[in-house]
Amino acid sequence: MDVPDLKSPIFIPDSYSPSQQVDDSSIPTSSPGPPRRYLMLVLFAVSAVSLLGLVSPFYHGGELASDRAPATPLERWTLSRGTAEGVSEKSNGRILGATPVYPWTNAMLVWQRTAYHFQPQKNWMNDPDGPMYYKGWYHLFYQYNPDSAVWGNITWGHAVSRDLIHWLYLPLAMVPSHWYDANGVWTGSATLLPDGRIAMVYTGSTTESVQVQNLAFPADPDDPLLLKWNKSESNPVIRPPSWIGLTDFRDPTTAWYVPTESAWRIAIGSKDADHNGIALVYRTKNFVTYELIPRLLHSVNRTGMWECVDFYPVSTASKVGLDTSTGPGPGVKHVLKASLDDNKHDYYAIGTYDGEEGTWTPDDQEMDVGIGLRYDYGKYYASKTFYDPVKERRVLWGWSGETDSEKTDLLKGWASVQTIPRTVTYDDKTGRNLLQWPVDEVERLRQSSQEFSNITLGVGSVAPLDISKATQLDIEAKFEIDASALERAIEADVGYNCSTSGGAAGRGALGPFGLLVLADQDLSEQTAVYFYLGRGTDGGLGTFFCQDELRSSLANDLVKRVYGSSVPVLDGESLTVRILVDHSIVESFAQGGRTCITSRVYPTEAIYGGARVFLFNNATGAPVTAKSIKIWQMNSAFIHPYAA
Ligand code: DQQ
């Protein structure tokens, strides 16, 4: 294989050929570090001043963009071409055209392609669609542009896997073919009927860009790969109700069965005239004819268009997942999730479904859908769960878009990845949130590991972790903060907020401390994953979990943010984090998955052999001990075209 030229800028290709995976070992390190023996032994503390220097604003290529909803029609247009058509897609705002383009080299761009996350061979992908398990295979469909690395001409890509990790690309499952989906085969969900049939209900954008719901089913139910799909002759099976905007009616859920009615119910996201996010519910016996139920499943004021609504039961009594049709009852709560088109985040709430009334109520009104918890505080959207009958678990898929420029996506020839599927369970310790954890199968990719223990980090210190390679990792780490320092810290930052703080460089008495991944030897590039302890407005100590991308790359044509939120830490618990690093994606899970953050990062120096991992403690008032750290090298997944 040719070794790409590391330094020379590349040119826009005429066609968007897929990027090649490159064996790290064939690429020279861009910033060779000191000998490994030296690194392994040296645990150096640097002064607070020099640490701050390393993370100074000098390196801030990006801006700390706010999460507010776009205000004017013009701004909305600038943010997202798809929004004008009633959908969201890429929303990198001001970097789309304005910022000078960084001279990306082939080697840099090739490195960004992930090795064990799912992404198509080339071109654009967004939402996961219709995930399910069928006759021995996990199926993933996804919003896909077969022609380019930007959103448009949306079809359904299709891939299958035996284990949710290794995938075979299959031919497109559905393409725009009729007036009712001529402008795109948009998001939808699968329902497996008790007799083994599959009802796939999806949104079609019509020739007039009206959003309607359509039915499709496998042409050959005996084919475990479900290669061919037929669209119903009755399509569209649902048109928007008169009081709903014609472009505000999309993304049907998996249906749930209501035995008392001998019928199914399905929810569809929308918004009303007052900009309240709503979930409509339809009843159907055959998936061809539908009746709108007068009562909404739920609505939340001023949350705008709800995309990709998901609605499912969780067990409060065990870690076992529940089939979507499991009705309300003892030991069962229901989760409602909406993807907010206004700010491109996935919000969920746990609550109670009233089967008789057909309505859902959150346990805590203050933490309702769209104003409370998020699945992920980073780059994560349009997620969807399915029930896996084999392992009796609920599995969550989510789309992680790019945060570079569209121009760079065209250079790469691809855009977007799916996050590692996550098992979702109810957190019976807090009773207030879900736990998300990478499916067990990803652990099969773990190769050699290195362990470190009891590393004490003085205030303002950085310590390298000597590992052989650092671009495909699974990291588990446990931290403890000095107890007496905790008691002394009376003034610890009331009302801390990851996004508006100074990130990893913003120093407080009890944080930040954690890990720097995808860092180069002199820390000119680093993605910080960290905890920060501060006092809540009630005077009690709270823990925040954040991820700082501000120094993730020397390139300037990127969106870089500090993401994060509070994370519950119960009495007696250590601070724990798991981090999956896979080239341009960093997925982090704090406290067993109570708070999760996904970043897309594009280093220019901390790539191939130039990538390193460090521990850091930038607190001013407390030493921190990294009690245990285990780092596995991760194999690449086998993701290839299916040869019939
Ligand atoms: N993406 C689809 C829509 C959905 C949006 C179009 C969410 O159906 O609302 O590609 O990302």
Side-chain angles (χ1 to χ4, degrees), residues 1-11 19-24 26-30 102-113 408 411-412 414 471 583-584 602-609:
M1 178 183 296
D2 290 343
V3 176
D5 178 356
L6 274 170
K7 293 293 178 194
S8 63
I10 57 171
F11 302 96
S19 300
Q20 300 293 312
Q21 286 286 345
V22 175
D23 178 1
D24 286 12
S26 67
I27 304 292
T29 164
S30 55
Y102 183 81
W104 294 101
T105 65
N106 258 320
M108 292 172 188
L109 298 184
V110 168
W111 179 89
Q112 291 167 13
R113 192 170 167 89
T408 315
L411 290 176
K412 290 188 300 193
W414 59 267
T471 55
H583 298 257
S584 60
Y602 310 91
T604 62
E605 298 282 334
I607 55 179
Y608 303 109

Side-chain angles (χ1 to χ4, degrees), residues 86-89 124 126-127 129 143-144 151 154 185-188 203 211 250-251 305-308 339 341 344 381-382 399:
V87 296
S88 64
E89 27 73 62
W124 169 269
N126 54 295
D127 319 354
D129 290 319
Q143 297 282 280
Y144 182 59
W151 187 89
I154 291 294
V185 184
W186 288 358
T187 279
T203 298
Q211 290 167 15
R250 56 186 180 270
D251 310 335
M305 176 68 203
W306 283 9
E307 298 188 310
C308 303
S339 303
D341 194 21
K344 309 289 183 288
Y381 195 59
W399 161 45

Side-chain angles (χ1 to χ4, degrees), residues 201-242:
V201 186
Y202 71 92
T203 298
S205 178
T206 71
T207 42
E208 305 294 322
S209 291
V210 174
Q211 290 167 15
V212 297
Q213 316 312 322
N214 301 313
L215 171 66
F217 43 86
D220 176 8
D222 292 331
D223 170 18
L225 298 183
L226 300 172
L227 289 173
K228 292 210 164 19
W229 289 78
N230 287 337
K231 296 177 185 173
S232 168
E233 292 187 353
S234 304
N235 284 341
V237 290
I238 317 179
R239 295 169 191 259
S242 58

Side-chain angles (χ1 to χ4, degrees), residues 3-147:
V3 176
D5 178 356
L6 274 170
K7 293 293 178 194
S8 63
I10 57 171
F11 302 96
I12 297 176
D14 291 325
S15 63
Y16 309 127
S17 58
S19 300
Q20 300 293 312
Q21 286 286 345
V22 175
D23 178 1
D24 286 12
S25 60
S26 67
I27 304 292
T29 164
S30 55
S31 57
R36 186 161 303 147
R37 234 175 328 123
Y38 171 74
L39 279 176
M40 191 166 61
L41 295 172
V42 172
L43 178 62
F44 62 93
V46 294
S47 72
V49 173
S50 64
L51 178 59
L52 279 174
L54 289 170
V55 293
S56 78
F58 176 77
Y59 293 106
H60 291 204
E63 56 195 318
L64 189 60
S66 78
D67 271 0
R68 73 183 171 80
T72 64
L74 179 63
E75 203 179 349
R76 285 177 71 82
W77 174 262
T78 315
L79 284 178
S80 165
R81 285 173 298 102
T83 307
E85 300 183 72
V87 296
S88 64
E89 27 73 62
K90 183 154 178 157
S91 51
N92 286 346
R94 281 152 280 185
I95 68 159
L96 280 180
T99 317
V101 176
Y102 183 81
W104 294 101
T105 65
N106 258 320
M108 292 172 188
L109 298 184
V110 168
W111 179 89
Q112 291 167 13
R113 192 170 167 89
T114 62
Y116 64 91
H117 282 71
F118 179 81
Q119 50 179 126
Q121 279 179 286
K122 60 178 179 175
N123 292 328
W124 169 269
M125 171 177 68
N126 54 295
D127 319 354
D129 290 319
M132 67 175 140
Y133 180 84
Y134 188 74
K135 293 190 189 292
W137 293 92
Y138 292 102
H139 288 254
L140 174 68
F141 304 86
Y142 48 90
Q143 297 282 280
Y144 182 59
N145 181 352
D147 300 327

Side-chain angles (χ1 to χ4, degrees), residues 366-379:
E366 312 241 304
M367 300 297 281
D368 208 340
V369 179
I371 59 173
L373 296 171
R374 284 166 47 184
Y375 275 154
D376 191 299
Y377 289 83
K379 187 70 181 171

Side-chain angles (χ1 to χ4, degrees), residues 312 314 335 348 350 375 424-426 433-436 593-594:
Y312 57 90
V314 284
V335 175
Y348 77 90
I350 303 171
Y375 275 154
V424 177
T425 54
Y426 175 78
N433 55 273
L434 297 172
L435 296 171
Q436 300 166 63
R594 289 186 184 135

